[in-house]
Amino acid sequence: MTRPTVTPGSGTTRSTYVDTRDGTQIYFKDWGTGQPIVFSHGWPLTADAWDDQMVFFASRGFRCIAHDRRGHGRSSQPWDGNEMDTYADDLATLVAALDLKDAIHVGHSTGGGEVARYIGRHGTARVAAAVLIGAVPPLMLQTEANPGGLPMAAFDAIRAGVLADRSQFFKDLPTPFYGANREGAQLSQGVRDSFWLQGMQAGHKSALDCIKAFSETDFTEDLKKFDVPTFVMHGDDDQIVPIGASALRTAQLVKGATLKVYPGLSHGMCTINKDLINEDLLAFITSLAVSKE
């Protein structure tokens, strides 16, 4: 199949693919012009999870790029490579293909791990700043050295649910993901349906492998390599990635990181509380420009 040619900086709206070294085709969308903001999505979603942020920032003079992680969405579904090192290398391939410079990398949940491992493996020569939202680093799994993490049984239960009936699992998961089980919470059927649709686009093997990737990968050493302004955003009622073993520790490991804790907000705050999150992201990005002056 013939793929459109990637021409860095040639237009205002582009949707196409890049090929990785193992032949996997990574789908991405590229909206707007200006300083690039690169978005990495969570499990089991796609680049579409960032549409609220993409429209907001592309309308304000930024170039917004979001890709479907390998095995997810419109990207290829390879049997191999569904782990953090390869996710990070795929991101590096995309960044190089588009010749992105001075980019702000924003990662949610698993995508936060992807950003961390990308910086750990590829450095910050092309990176202006990093934003980790409800992100999995430094380590989700409970270990002797990480007693605040979640036990392996929690992730085994996720695997069992995906294996038993992944369609129903992705219908049920939005409830804790978006905090719909909290008193007074409201979650539209549309958001539930979008989550299910995105989840069902992931390859079955890819989705299963990614559970191990987001839960068992230790990003401690990656975080220590951060040398760019970093904004850590996390809801203190996040039922998917508990804040104690993630954001609070990340903020200690990343030198000079700014931590903002959102009382009562869920894992899905980029959607449910998009106006608040977008404004805070904009304020952080604006502060970067001011600091350069």
Side-chain angles (χ1 to χ4, degrees), residues 241-258:
V241 181
I243 190 172
S246 55
L248 299 186
R249 293 190 62 216
T250 291
Q252 295 174 338
L253 289 166
V254 176
K255 185 178 180 180
T258 298

Side-chain angles (χ1 to χ4, degrees), residues 222-252:
D222 302 296
L223 295 173
K224 291 178 181 178
K225 295 178 181 178
F226 278 43
D227 58 1
V228 294
T230 302
F231 190 21
V232 181
M233 310 166 73
H234 215 108
D236 72 358
D237 194 31
D238 190 323
Q239 300 172 63
I240 305 299
V241 181
I243 190 172
S246 55
L248 299 186
R249 293 190 62 216
T250 291
Q252 295 174 338

Side-chain angles (χ1 to χ4, degrees), residues 19-263:
D19 293 333
T20 68
R21 63 187 179 188
D22 68 353
T24 298
Q25 294 170 334
I26 301 296
Y27 170 87
F28 70 95
K29 44 192 176 183
D30 187 348
W31 298 352
T33 58
Q35 183 178 12
I37 306 176
V38 184
F39 295 93
S40 294
H41 66 80
W43 178 90
L45 304 175
T46 73
D48 295 351
W50 289 113
D51 278 1
D52 289 323
Q53 285 69 46
M54 297 262 296
V55 169
F56 180 88
F57 284 99
S59 300
R60 287 163 174 77
F62 294 91
R63 180 182 178 186
C64 297
I65 299 104
H67 65 290
D68 292 350
R69 186 171 299 112
R70 67 167 52 214
H72 295 69
R74 292 140 292 200
S75 292
S76 301
Q77 297 183 7
W79 186 257
D80 296 316
N82 302 296
E83 35 74 25
M84 280 293 169
D85 285 355
T86 305
Y87 294 159
D89 292 350
D90 290 347
L91 177 56
T93 297
L94 175 63
V95 167
L98 296 179
D99 194 25
L100 301 180
K101 299 173 183 176
D102 201 31
I104 300 160
H105 281 266
V106 182
H108 173 246
S109 196
T110 299
E114 181 178 283
V115 170
R117 183 53 51 91
Y118 166 73
I119 290 176
R121 283 174 71 82
H122 299 278
T124 56
R126 292 177 176 266
V127 180
V131 181
L132 304 179
I133 307 176
V136 299
L139 174 62
M140 284 196 72
L141 182 67
Q142 183 181 73
T143 65
E144 185 175 340
N146 186 45
L150 295 172
M152 182 63 79
F155 304 110
D156 286 341
I158 297 173
R159 274 182 279 267
V162 172
L163 281 169
D165 186 345
R166 68 179 179 135
S167 182
Q168 188 60 52
F169 186 84
F170 291 149
K171 283 184 177 290
D172 295 337
L173 186 55
T175 296
F177 193 100
Y178 296 106
N181 51 357
R182 299 313 196 206
E183 184 177 355
Q186 295 183 350
L187 180 63
S188 73
Q189 189 60 45
V191 170
R192 288 184 179 274
D193 291 347
S194 178
F195 186 100
W196 174 85
L197 178 61
Q198 292 179 62
M200 289 303 293
Q201 290 181 72
H204 203 175
K205 170 68 158 51
S206 306
L208 285 168
D209 286 354
C210 192
I211 297 166
K212 178 180 178 67
F214 73 65
S215 64
E216 297 182 40
T217 304
D218 189 340
F219 301 97
T220 300
E221 295 306 313
D222 302 296
L223 295 173
K224 291 178 181 178
K225 295 178 181 178
F226 278 43
D227 58 1
V228 294
T230 302
F231 190 21
V232 181
M233 310 166 73
H234 215 108
D236 72 358
D237 194 31
D238 190 323
Q239 300 172 63
I240 305 299
V241 181
I243 190 172
S246 55
L248 299 186
R249 293 190 62 216
T250 291
Q252 295 174 338
L253 289 166
V254 176
K255 185 178 180 180
T258 298
L259 170 67
K260 183 161 185 179
V261 177
Y262 294 83

